[in-house]
Amino acid sequence: MIKTLTISESNLEEIVNSLNDFDYTDIEIGEFQPLYVKLVGDQFHGSFTPSIMKGIVELQEGINRSYCFAKYGNYDLRQLSDIELKKLELIISIKEGSTDIIGDLIELAKSLKDLLAGMTPRQRATIILSIILSLGGYFTLSRLMEHNEHLNDNETKVALEQEKTKQLSEIQENTLEAVKLGLEHSDQQKQETKELQEQTPTKDEPTPKPTQEKVSEYFKLLEKPTPETLQALETIKNSQPQISETMINANTKFIRSMKFAEKVNYNNAFEASGDVLEKITQTPRNTWQEVILIENFRVVDINSSKVDYRTVALRSDD
């Protein structure tokens, strides 16, 4: 009996519920909204900047690497044939008169289904969803939401600092009044009071406030996913952890390439200023632990199949 599962972004919860007892014999590709990015800024008028072009290249490399790992178990892209590379291409178009990036995710999903023929339907479903949902930015939503809360915390801190400055200013004014009363009969003390008046704001003068960094950061969720959807996304991500991590890294670099835009609309899921996108996509550099080997070694092999580290095989020359 043939039982087909339609995979799309509209039935994620149904797919997740079927993973533990997967009895489908085939899959078909349903509807996926195209990847949509709108860039606003002086540099963006119907053309790609070098930064955006680099981001698109990083995104395509992430697709290629993810497929390569799924099909061959490693990230050596030299194994991919010209036919495979052609089918894996994410078709990007640009809307005339503006910089609206549009990527066809349905055609990519169909190509992945064909290229992964021979795998079980469950494997194909989770691999395709891991790649397509990453391109849509779904796996980065939690990080963006956390950063939005961080920005709100910063605004609260600024307000508290302003209130603290106001209170300190009032203390200065009260101190000044006391000094004026105590020193009013001494010419020298009056002069000191005058100098103090010049240095300290009076009640009639606006209180100078310490210079605050201008808050130009902007972030807004356009459509907040439900807890059920977030849980479904997490389950799909964990079903193919290495592929998901590869795609998240690629998507992060793509988003970082938009840092010069005044405002970005990403897949109608969120809007943000370029400086916010730059901050939330910063990743700490890996630190290396120094190891000193007091012998002569020959490098036998370097394995770069892992995303986070490389394995180097050494052989002693002795």
Side-chain angles (χ1 to χ4, degrees):
M1 178 180 176
I2 298 176
K3 188 176 180 181
T4 302
L5 172 66
T6 300
I7 59 173
S8 69
E9 58 189 344
S10 63
N11 66 336
L12 295 182
E13 294 174 36
E14 176 189 347
I15 296 171
V16 167
N17 291 335
S18 70
L19 291 181
N20 290 332
D21 188 22
F22 200 93
D23 59 352
Y24 293 93
T25 57
D26 198 5
I27 63 171
E28 66 179 22
I29 305 301
E31 292 298 317
F32 288 95
Q33 293 295 321
L35 170 63
Y36 170 79
V37 180
K38 183 177 182 63
L39 302 168
V40 177
D42 293 338
Q43 303 180 50
F44 305 102
H45 296 287
S47 61
F48 290 148
T49 64
S51 174
I52 298 298
M53 291 175 65
K54 182 179 178 182
I56 293 174
V57 170
E58 295 283 4
L59 204 60
Q60 183 64 61
E61 184 174 352
I63 296 170
N64 295 349
R65 285 170 58 83
S66 296
Y67 165 77
C68 188
F69 182 84
K71 188 69 176 285
Y72 302 107
N74 59 64
Y75 294 103
D76 187 355
L77 300 182
R78 294 172 297 181
Q79 299 171 96
L80 303 185
S81 67
D82 291 341
I83 294 177
E84 288 173 307
L85 290 172
K86 184 66 177 177
K87 279 184 166 292
L88 290 172
E89 283 185 4
L90 176 63
I91 306 301
I92 296 288
S93 59
I94 183 169
K95 188 176 179 181
E96 186 176 357
S98 64
T99 303
D100 289 11
I101 301 172
I102 303 171
D104 192 338
L105 299 185
I106 294 179
E107 286 305 312
L108 176 61
K110 290 179 178 179
S111 294
L112 286 168
K113 177 194 171 186
D114 294 340
L115 289 170
L116 296 173
M119 291 187 175
T120 67
R122 186 184 188 280
Q123 288 175 320
R124 284 193 289 171
T126 54
I127 291 169
I128 292 171
L129 283 173
S130 295
I131 294 174
I132 298 300
L133 295 178
S134 294
L135 290 170
Y138 289 99
F139 294 157
T140 61
L141 277 177
S142 58
R143 182 189 301 177
L144 296 171
M145 292 165 65
E146 289 174 3
H147 188 72
N148 184 41
E149 294 175 359
H150 175 69
L151 291 181
N152 290 336
D153 289 342
N154 283 343
E155 292 175 359
T156 302
K157 289 178 182 178
V158 169
L160 291 174
E161 286 296 324
Q162 290 174 341
E163 180 62 26
K164 181 179 178 181
T165 301
K166 180 181 178 181
Q167 293 176 358
L168 290 174
S169 179
E170 291 174 353
I171 293 173
Q172 285 181 331
E173 291 176 3
N174 294 334
T175 301
L176 176 60
E177 291 297 326
V179 171
K180 288 170 64 179
L181 290 173
L183 302 179
E184 61 183 355
H185 299 297
S186 169
D187 291 340
Q188 180 180 358
Q189 290 172 339
K190 286 181 180 179
Q191 180 62 30
E192 293 174 354
T193 301
K194 181 180 179 182
E195 294 175 356
L196 186 58
Q197 287 175 323
E198 294 174 349
Q199 298 174 5
T200 309
T202 63
K203 291 182 178 180
D204 297 330
E205 297 174 342
T207 302
K209 297 180 180 180
T211 302
Q212 298 287 344
E213 182 180 352
K214 183 180 179 181
V215 180
S216 61
E217 297 179 326
Y218 168 76
F219 174 82
K220 180 181 179 181
L221 275 177
L222 301 179
E223 184 177 352
K224 187 174 182 178
T226 64
E228 292 77 16
T229 299
L230 288 174
Q231 182 59 49
L233 291 169
E234 189 69 18
T235 301
I236 292 170
K237 183 175 71 173
N238 293 336
S239 69
Q240 297 288 342
Q242 289 177 289
I243 291 175
S244 296
E245 187 62 28
T246 299
M247 286 304 304
I248 289 172
N249 289 338
N251 186 249
T252 297
K253 293 175 182 178
F254 178 51
I255 292 176
R256 186 185 299 134
S257 72
M258 306 169 197
K259 61 185 178 182
F260 297 116
E262 293 177 10
K263 187 169 72 173
V264 176
N265 179 318
Y266 196 97
N267 238 27
N268 290 318
F270 68 86
E271 286 183 348
S273 54
D275 50 2
V276 166
L277 295 182
E278 183 178 18
K279 288 183 179 181
I280 63 177
T281 55
Q282 288 177 346
T283 53
R285 293 185 177 180
N286 292 330
T287 57
W288 295 82
Q289 182 178 358
E290 183 175 346
V291 177
I292 300 177
L293 302 175
I294 314 298
E295 287 186 52
N296 293 326
F297 290 91
R298 185 185 301 275
V299 177
V300 178
D301 181 58
I302 299 177
N303 187 341
S304 302
S305 62
K306 302 297 182 183
V307 176
D308 297 327
Y309 61 88
R310 292 184 175 89
T311 302
V312 180
L314 304 176
R315 183 175 63 197
S316 174
D317 277 347
D318 295 339

